[in-house]
């Protein structure tokens, strides 16, 4: 059997911040009524987290749940467990009007870490990334230059960025340019 | 630069994150309507200098459609509101009336 590898297989770049492709991450898109009890239970069973509020990201390591829109969540689980977690989730959801799909292989995940991480991401996304406006625990879906992307913060100096796998190479090169040595802007 | 607040995710999204969806509150005339009605539905649009209602989609974001009331002359935004309505809510109308007394737009005022 072929072994799954991520889009860029842990490619890394060191500039004013470190940009790294994280490797495989289990991801489940869950759509439905977020106030539904069986949905809340399915999320709790899979991740140990409650259903997040508007633009909340409840993530620790490679497990967690992010708010994507008023009827959509992104459930993060370890890659190896995604099929069993998904099966358990579908079972827990039963006949409620929901949709849970494994999208792990459709995505790529990056981390941007370092003191200038806010600057690097701020160059490519039309988002206020000042520490007053954006903090760990929040998720923002936006665009990374020309492609769609979402990001949240693991800690005060680390972003996790999710994009489509087909755009992984573009996003990596984009972040590499944004992180070039000597390219600090000094706004954040 | 136009900045609209998405009523679904609460983000102040700027223009490049959004996709314009044309005029708001169109009433569809399909099969069974007269040729004139269908023609008007298909082709006739407001082109105001002033208060205007539009549909927008938070395309690079939560992906939801919403409505916006703004001024085409000054780019001032009066407010954004849910897509699940066929007419502007009262608080939006009030906000416009406060800034543009006597405004009218199609059958709304």
């Amino acid at each position: 059997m072929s072994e799954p590898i991520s889009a860029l297989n842990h490619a890394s770049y060191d500039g004013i911040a470190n940009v790294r492709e994280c490797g495989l991450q289990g991801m489940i898109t869950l759509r439905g009524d977020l106030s539904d009890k069986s949905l809340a239970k399915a999320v709790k069973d899979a991740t140990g987290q409650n259903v997040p509020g508007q633009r909340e990201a409840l993530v620790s390591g490679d497990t967690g749940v992010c708010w994507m829109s008023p009827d959509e969540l992104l459930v993060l689980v370890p890659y190896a467990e995604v099929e069993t977690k998904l099966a358990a989730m579908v079972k827990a959801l039963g006949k409620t009007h929901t949709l849970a799909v494994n999208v792990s292989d459709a995505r790529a995940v990056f981390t941007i870490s370092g003191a200038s991480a806010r600057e690097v991401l701020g160059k490519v996304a039309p988002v206020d990334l000042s520490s007053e406006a954006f903090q760990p625990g929040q998720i923002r879906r936006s665009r990374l230059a020309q492609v769609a992307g979402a990001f949240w913060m693991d800690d005060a100096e680390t972003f996790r960025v999710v994009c489509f796998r087909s755009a992984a190479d573009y996003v990596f090169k984009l972040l590499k340019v944004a992180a070039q040595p000597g390219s600090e802007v000094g706004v954040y | 630069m136009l900045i609209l607040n998405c009523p679904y995710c609460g983000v102040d999204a700027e223009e490049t994150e959004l996709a314009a969806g044309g005029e708001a509150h169109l009433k569809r005339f399909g099969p069974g309507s007269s040729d004139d009605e269908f023609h008007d539905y298909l082709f006739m649009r407001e082109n105001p200098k002033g208060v205007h209602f539009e549909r927008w989609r938070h395309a690079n974001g939560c992906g939801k459609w919403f409505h916006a009331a703004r001024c085409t002359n000054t780019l001032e935004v009066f407010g954004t509101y849910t897509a699940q309505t066929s007419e502007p809510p009262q608080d939006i109308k009030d906000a416009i009336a406060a800034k543009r007394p006597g405004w009218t737009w199609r059958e709304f005022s």
Side-chain angles (χ1 to χ4, degrees):
Chain A
M1 182 163 160
S2 57
E3 191 188 329
I5 58 168
S6 62
L8 302 178
N9 206 11
H10 300 279
S12 176
Y13 175 81
D14 272 306
I16 58 172
N18 174 266
V19 180
R20 197 173 63 86
E21 203 248 9
C22 298
L24 296 164
Q25 164 73 58
M27 287 189 209
I28 299 168
T29 284
L30 178 59
R31 299 200 78 144
D33 178 359
L34 301 191
S35 60
D36 189 83
K37 277 194 188 125
S38 56
L39 185 142
K41 187 173 179 303
V43 169
K44 190 93 180 170
D45 290 348
T47 65
Q49 304 280 6
N50 294 322
V51 174
Q54 191 182 57
R55 296 203 311 283
E56 252 188 326
L58 310 169
V59 184
S60 71
D62 56 3
T63 305
V65 58
C66 302
W67 188 94
M68 298 295 270
S69 84
D71 57 3
E72 181 179 345
L73 298 177
L74 179 67
V75 178
L76 303 171
V77 295
Y79 187 82
E81 296 170 23
V82 66
E83 287 299 339
T84 51
K85 295 269 190 189
L86 179 63
M89 195 179 268
V90 169
K91 200 168 170 218
L93 290 167
K95 286 197 170 129
T96 46
H97 184 63
T98 51
L99 178 76
V101 181
N102 176 8
V103 295
S104 314
D105 298 318
R107 305 277 170 85
V109 187
F110 295 88
T111 56
I112 307 171
S113 52
S116 296
R118 285 180 189 272
E119 297 236 315
V120 171
L121 198 53
K123 288 180 195 176
V124 298
V127 179
D128 181 0
L129 290 174
S130 62
S131 52
E132 301 89 64
F134 200 81
Q135 282 290 327
Q138 281 174 271
I139 183 170
R140 181 71 152 80
R141 289 176 77 180
S142 184
R143 65 182 176 88
L144 308 166
Q146 300 184 38
V147 297
F151 47 82
W152 64 89
M153 296 184 87
D154 288 327
D155 59 55
E157 292 189 347
T158 311
F159 281 94
R160 199 114 52 104
V161 180
V162 178
C163 68
F164 287 115
R165 182 175 176 130
S166 56
D169 187 49
Y170 173 81
V171 169
F172 184 62
K173 285 172 178 162
L174 181 75
L175 293 174
K176 261 186 0 186
V177 172
Q180 269 178 2
S183 67
E184 295 93 340
V185 181
V187 266
Y188 296 135
Chain B
M1 178 71 69
L2 190 61
I3 296 176
L4 300 175
N5 181 273
C6 171
Y8 291 97
C9 63
V11 158
D12 284 324
E14 55 107 319
E15 211 172 323
T16 62
E17 222 173 273
L18 303 164
E23 189 172 315
H25 307 306
L26 294 179
K27 182 164 184 274
R28 183 169 185 269
F29 289 94
S33 60
S34 71
D35 284 357
D36 279 349
E37 282 172 337
F38 186 65
H39 169 271
D40 287 356
Y41 156 68
L42 209 54
F43 299 114
M44 300 309 280
R45 294 290 180 270
E46 297 296 313
N47 184 21
K49 182 179 179 183
V51 176
H52 195 32
F53 295 84
E54 288 171 328
R55 299 170 74 231
W56 286 87
R57 181 171 175 259
H58 197 185
N60 282 313
C62 65
K64 300 294 179 197
W65 285 97
F66 61 92
H67 283 130
R70 66 181 186 98
C71 177
T72 57
N73 196 16
T74 63
L75 288 191
E76 181 177 3
V77 177
F78 301 112
T80 54
Y81 52 101
T82 172
Q84 273 71 48
T85 176
S86 52
E87 67 170 293
Q90 193 57 46
D91 60 321
I92 297 288
K93 289 183 185 174
D94 292 345
I96 300 171
K99 298 261 178 64
R100 302 281 189 280
W103 69 277
T104 58
W105 186 83
R106 285 203 335 232
E107 71 269 36
F108 307 120
S109 61

mmCIF file of all heavy atoms in Angstrom, chain A residues 31 54-55 67 69-71 126 140-143, chain B residues 8-12 14 16-17 60-62 64:
data_model
loop_
_atom_site.group_PDB
_atom_site.id
_atom_site.type_symbol
_atom_site.label_atom_id
_atom_site.label_comp_id
_atom_site.label_asym_id
_atom_site.label_seq_id
_atom_site.Cartn_x
_atom_site.Cartn_y
_atom_site.Cartn_z
ATOM 1 N N ARG A 31 -20.837 20.059 8.803
ATOM 2 C CA ARG A 31 -21.835 21.101 8.570
ATOM 3 C C ARG A 31 -23.149 20.668 9.189
ATOM 4 O O ARG A 31 -23.504 19.501 9.183
ATOM 5 C CB ARG A 31 -22.032 21.348 7.069
ATOM 6 C CG ARG A 31 -20.778 21.824 6.389
ATOM 7 C CD ARG A 31 -21.079 22.502 5.086
ATOM 8 N NE ARG A 31 -21.561 23.848 5.323
ATOM 9 C CZ ARG A 31 -21.269 24.880 4.530
ATOM 10 N NH1 ARG A 31 -20.542 24.716 3.463
ATOM 11 N NH2 ARG A 31 -21.731 26.079 4.794
ATOM 12 N N GLN A 54 -18.608 32.112 17.609
ATOM 13 C CA GLN A 54 -18.225 32.799 16.376
ATOM 14 C C GLN A 54 -16.721 33.085 16.316
ATOM 15 O O GLN A 54 -16.162 33.706 17.210
ATOM 16 C CB GLN A 54 -19.001 34.104 16.288
ATOM 17 C CG GLN A 54 -18.879 34.776 14.933
ATOM 18 C CD GLN A 54 -19.627 36.090 14.895
ATOM 19 O OE1 GLN A 54 -19.383 36.988 15.681
ATOM 20 N NE2 GLN A 54 -20.563 36.213 13.970
ATOM 21 N N ARG A 55 -16.076 32.596 15.258
ATOM 22 C CA ARG A 55 -14.641 32.801 14.977
ATOM 23 C C ARG A 55 -13.733 32.276 16.082
ATOM 24 O O ARG A 55 -12.617 32.727 16.247
ATOM 25 C CB ARG A 55 -14.336 34.275 14.727
ATOM 26 C CG ARG A 55 -15.003 34.840 13.493
ATOM 27 C CD ARG A 55 -14.280 36.069 12.972
ATOM 28 N NE ARG A 55 -13.973 37.066 13.957
ATOM 29 C CZ ARG A 55 -14.855 37.919 14.449
ATOM 30 N NH1 ARG A 55 -16.098 37.877 14.038
ATOM 31 N NH2 ARG A 55 -14.496 38.804 15.345
ATOM 32 N N TRP A 67 -14.330 27.265 14.225
ATOM 33 C CA TRP A 67 -15.577 27.805 13.677
ATOM 34 C C TRP A 67 -15.299 28.331 12.274
ATOM 35 O O TRP A 67 -14.455 29.199 12.091
ATOM 36 C CB TRP A 67 -16.052 28.934 14.589
ATOM 37 C CG TRP A 67 -17.407 29.485 14.295
ATOM 38 C CD1 TRP A 67 -18.578 29.091 14.878
ATOM 39 C CD2 TRP A 67 -17.741 30.566 13.402
ATOM 40 N NE1 TRP A 67 -19.607 29.854 14.389
ATOM 41 C CE2 TRP A 67 -19.139 30.745 13.488
ATOM 42 C CE3 TRP A 67 -17.013 31.371 12.538
ATOM 43 C CZ2 TRP A 67 -19.806 31.720 12.747
ATOM 44 C CZ3 TRP A 67 -17.677 32.333 11.794
ATOM 45 C CH2 TRP A 67 -19.068 32.504 11.907
ATOM 46 N N SER A 69 -18.048 28.920 9.717
ATOM 47 C CA SER A 69 -19.163 29.775 9.314
ATOM 48 C C SER A 69 -20.325 29.404 10.236
ATOM 49 O O SER A 69 -20.195 28.479 11.032
ATOM 50 C CB SER A 69 -19.487 29.571 7.829
ATOM 51 O OG SER A 69 -20.332 28.472 7.650
ATOM 52 N N PRO A 70 -21.457 30.107 10.161
ATOM 53 C CA PRO A 70 -22.530 29.824 11.125
ATOM 54 C C PRO A 70 -23.066 28.393 11.059
ATOM 55 O O PRO A 70 -23.786 27.969 11.954
ATOM 56 C CB PRO A 70 -23.633 30.821 10.738
ATOM 57 C CG PRO A 70 -22.912 31.921 10.070
ATOM 58 C CD PRO A 70 -21.774 31.286 9.342
ATOM 59 N N ASP A 71 -22.725 27.653 10.012
ATOM 60 C CA ASP A 71 -23.200 26.270 9.947
ATOM 61 C C ASP A 71 -22.067 25.301 9.598
ATOM 62 O O ASP A 71 -22.315 24.233 9.078
ATOM 63 C CB ASP A 71 -24.344 26.144 8.925
ATOM 64 C CG ASP A 71 -23.908 26.624 7.547
ATOM 65 O OD1 ASP A 71 -22.747 26.994 7.386
ATOM 66 O OD2 ASP A 71 -24.759 26.617 6.638
ATOM 67 N N PRO A 126 -5.501 40.372 3.977
ATOM 68 C CA PRO A 126 -6.080 41.692 4.280
ATOM 69 C C PRO A 126 -6.759 41.710 5.648
ATOM 70 O O PRO A 126 -7.958 41.944 5.766
ATOM 71 C CB PRO A 126 -7.097 41.881 3.146
ATOM 72 C CG PRO A 126 -7.559 40.495 2.849
ATOM 73 C CD PRO A 126 -6.384 39.592 3.100
ATOM 74 N N ARG A 140 -9.480 33.015 11.577
ATOM 75 C CA ARG A 140 -9.901 33.954 10.541
ATOM 76 C C ARG A 140 -9.789 33.261 9.200
ATOM 77 O O ARG A 140 -8.729 32.729 8.858
ATOM 78 C CB ARG A 140 -8.997 35.190 10.586
ATOM 79 C CG ARG A 140 -9.335 36.270 9.576
ATOM 80 C CD ARG A 140 -10.616 36.962 9.951
ATOM 81 N NE ARG A 140 -10.650 38.342 9.463
ATOM 82 C CZ ARG A 140 -10.941 38.695 8.212
ATOM 83 N NH1 ARG A 140 -11.245 37.771 7.322
ATOM 84 N NH2 ARG A 140 -10.936 39.961 7.863
ATOM 85 N N ARG A 141 -10.893 33.243 8.464
ATOM 86 C CA ARG A 141 -10.833 32.785 7.072
ATOM 87 C C ARG A 141 -10.670 34.013 6.206
ATOM 88 O O ARG A 141 -11.393 34.986 6.362
ATOM 89 C CB ARG A 141 -12.130 32.066 6.701
ATOM 90 C CG ARG A 141 -12.290 30.738 7.364
ATOM 91 C CD ARG A 141 -13.623 30.137 7.034
ATOM 92 N NE ARG A 141 -13.656 29.580 5.694
ATOM 93 C CZ ARG A 141 -14.740 28.996 5.171
ATOM 94 N NH1 ARG A 141 -15.855 28.942 5.859
ATOM 95 N NH2 ARG A 141 -14.700 28.496 3.974
ATOM 96 N N SER A 142 -9.731 33.952 5.317
ATOM 97 C CA SER A 142 -9.488 35.111 4.473
ATOM 98 C C SER A 142 -8.825 34.623 3.198
ATOM 99 O O SER A 142 -9.020 33.485 2.793
ATOM 100 C CB SER A 142 -8.613 36.111 5.228
ATOM 101 O OG SER A 142 -8.444 37.268 4.443
ATOM 102 N N ARG A 143 -8.038 35.508 2.597
ATOM 103 C CA ARG A 143 -7.277 35.077 1.432
ATOM 104 C C ARG A 143 -5.799 35.279 1.719
ATOM 105 O O ARG A 143 -5.410 36.177 2.462
ATOM 106 C CB ARG A 143 -7.707 35.837 0.184
ATOM 107 C CG ARG A 143 -7.410 37.299 0.255
ATOM 108 C CD ARG A 143 -7.875 38.060 -0.960
ATOM 109 N NE ARG A 143 -7.630 39.470 -0.737
ATOM 110 C CZ ARG A 143 -6.492 40.083 -1.028
ATOM 111 N NH1 ARG A 143 -5.505 39.422 -1.579
ATOM 112 N NH2 ARG A 143 -6.338 41.361 -0.776
ATOM 113 N N TYR B 8 -22.663 37.547 9.162
ATOM 114 C CA TYR B 8 -22.619 36.140 9.560
ATOM 115 C C TYR B 8 -21.397 35.813 10.395
ATOM 116 O O TYR B 8 -21.486 35.060 11.360
ATOM 117 C CB TYR B 8 -22.694 35.233 8.332
ATOM 118 C CG TYR B 8 -24.049 35.308 7.685
ATOM 119 C CD1 TYR B 8 -24.275 36.136 6.601
ATOM 120 C CD2 TYR B 8 -25.117 34.596 8.213
ATOM 121 C CE1 TYR B 8 -25.522 36.239 6.033
ATOM 122 C CE2 TYR B 8 -26.376 34.695 7.663
ATOM 123 C CZ TYR B 8 -26.575 35.513 6.563
ATOM 124 O OH TYR B 8 -27.818 35.628 6.022
ATOM 125 N N CYS B 9 -20.220 36.340 10.015
ATOM 126 C CA CYS B 9 -19.039 36.022 10.824
ATOM 127 C C CYS B 9 -18.523 37.228 11.589
ATOM 128 O O CYS B 9 -17.565 37.115 12.342
ATOM 129 C CB CYS B 9 -17.944 35.367 9.973
ATOM 130 S SG CYS B 9 -17.283 36.384 8.671
ATOM 131 N N GLY B 10 -19.151 38.381 11.417
ATOM 132 C CA GLY B 10 -18.795 39.537 12.232
ATOM 133 C C GLY B 10 -17.485 40.201 11.856
ATOM 134 O O GLY B 10 -17.012 41.075 12.561
ATOM 135 N N VAL B 11 -16.918 39.775 10.737
ATOM 136 C CA VAL B 11 -15.625 40.310 10.316
ATOM 137 C C VAL B 11 -15.834 41.594 9.512
ATOM 138 O O VAL B 11 -16.751 41.684 8.711
ATOM 139 C CB VAL B 11 -14.902 39.256 9.448
ATOM 140 C CG1 VAL B 11 -13.863 39.886 8.566
ATOM 141 C CG2 VAL B 11 -14.292 38.189 10.329
ATOM 142 N N ASP B 12 -14.978 42.595 9.752
ATOM 143 C CA ASP B 12 -14.952 43.758 8.867
ATOM 144 C C ASP B 12 -14.123 43.393 7.657
ATOM 145 O O ASP B 12 -12.902 43.480 7.684
ATOM 146 C CB ASP B 12 -14.352 44.971 9.586
ATOM 147 C CG ASP B 12 -15.342 45.584 10.555
ATOM 148 O OD1 ASP B 12 -16.534 45.598 10.234
ATOM 149 O OD2 ASP B 12 -14.915 46.035 11.633
ATOM 150 N N GLU B 14 -12.726 43.624 3.860
ATOM 151 C CA GLU B 14 -12.514 44.634 2.834
ATOM 152 C C GLU B 14 -12.833 44.045 1.460
ATOM 153 O O GLU B 14 -12.978 42.842 1.292
ATOM 154 C CB GLU B 14 -11.114 45.230 2.956
ATOM 155 C CG GLU B 14 -10.020 44.198 2.930
ATOM 156 C CD GLU B 14 -9.275 44.239 1.630
ATOM 157 O OE1 GLU B 14 -9.939 44.393 0.588
ATOM 158 O OE2 GLU B 14 -8.055 44.105 1.647
ATOM 159 N N THR B 16 -11.541 43.166 -1.306
ATOM 160 C CA THR B 16 -10.918 42.046 -2.005
ATOM 161 C C THR B 16 -11.299 40.702 -1.404
ATOM 162 O O THR B 16 -11.039 39.672 -1.986
ATOM 163 C CB THR B 16 -9.385 42.170 -1.992
ATOM 164 O OG1 THR B 16 -8.931 42.131 -0.643
ATOM 165 C CG2 THR B 16 -8.941 43.454 -2.640
ATOM 166 N N GLU B 17 -11.901 40.720 -0.224
ATOM 167 C CA GLU B 17 -12.333 39.473 0.391
ATOM 168 C C GLU B 17 -13.771 39.140 -0.024
ATOM 169 O O GLU B 17 -14.272 38.066 0.275
ATOM 170 C CB GLU B 17 -12.269 39.638 1.908
ATOM 171 C CG GLU B 17 -11.701 38.453 2.648
ATOM 172 C CD GLU B 17 -11.513 38.751 4.119
ATOM 173 O OE1 GLU B 17 -10.456 39.279 4.493
ATOM 174 O OE2 GLU B 17 -12.432 38.469 4.884
ATOM 175 N N ASN B 60 -14.026 35.079 0.189
ATOM 176 C CA ASN B 60 -12.812 34.615 0.862
ATOM 177 C C ASN B 60 -13.007 34.741 2.365
ATOM 178 O O ASN B 60 -12.336 35.501 3.048
ATOM 179 C CB ASN B 60 -11.605 35.439 0.411
ATOM 180 C CG ASN B 60 -11.115 35.007 -0.936
ATOM 181 O OD1 ASN B 60 -10.959 33.823 -1.205
ATOM 182 N ND2 ASN B 60 -10.889 35.975 -1.804
ATOM 183 N N GLY B 61 -13.945 33.991 2.874
ATOM 184 C CA GLY B 61 -14.280 34.071 4.288
ATOM 185 C C GLY B 61 -15.309 33.000 4.579
ATOM 186 O O GLY B 61 -15.142 31.868 4.156
ATOM 187 N N CYS B 62 -16.387 33.386 5.235
ATOM 188 C CA CYS B 62 -17.362 32.371 5.641
ATOM 189 C C CYS B 62 -18.197 31.888 4.456
ATOM 190 O O CYS B 62 -18.925 30.910 4.573
ATOM 191 C CB CYS B 62 -18.248 32.895 6.753
ATOM 192 S SG CYS B 62 -19.289 34.274 6.277
ATOM 193 N N LYS B 64 -20.762 33.257 2.995
ATOM 194 C CA LYS B 64 -22.202 33.554 3.034
ATOM 195 C C LYS B 64 -22.543 34.798 2.211
ATOM 196 O O LYS B 64 -21.770 35.746 2.132
ATOM 197 C CB LYS B 64 -22.649 33.778 4.483
ATOM 198 C CG LYS B 64 -22.434 32.591 5.390
ATOM 199 C CD LYS B 64 -23.302 31.434 5.011
ATOM 200 C CE LYS B 64 -23.062 30.258 5.909
ATOM 201 N NZ LYS B 64 -23.587 29.014 5.347
#
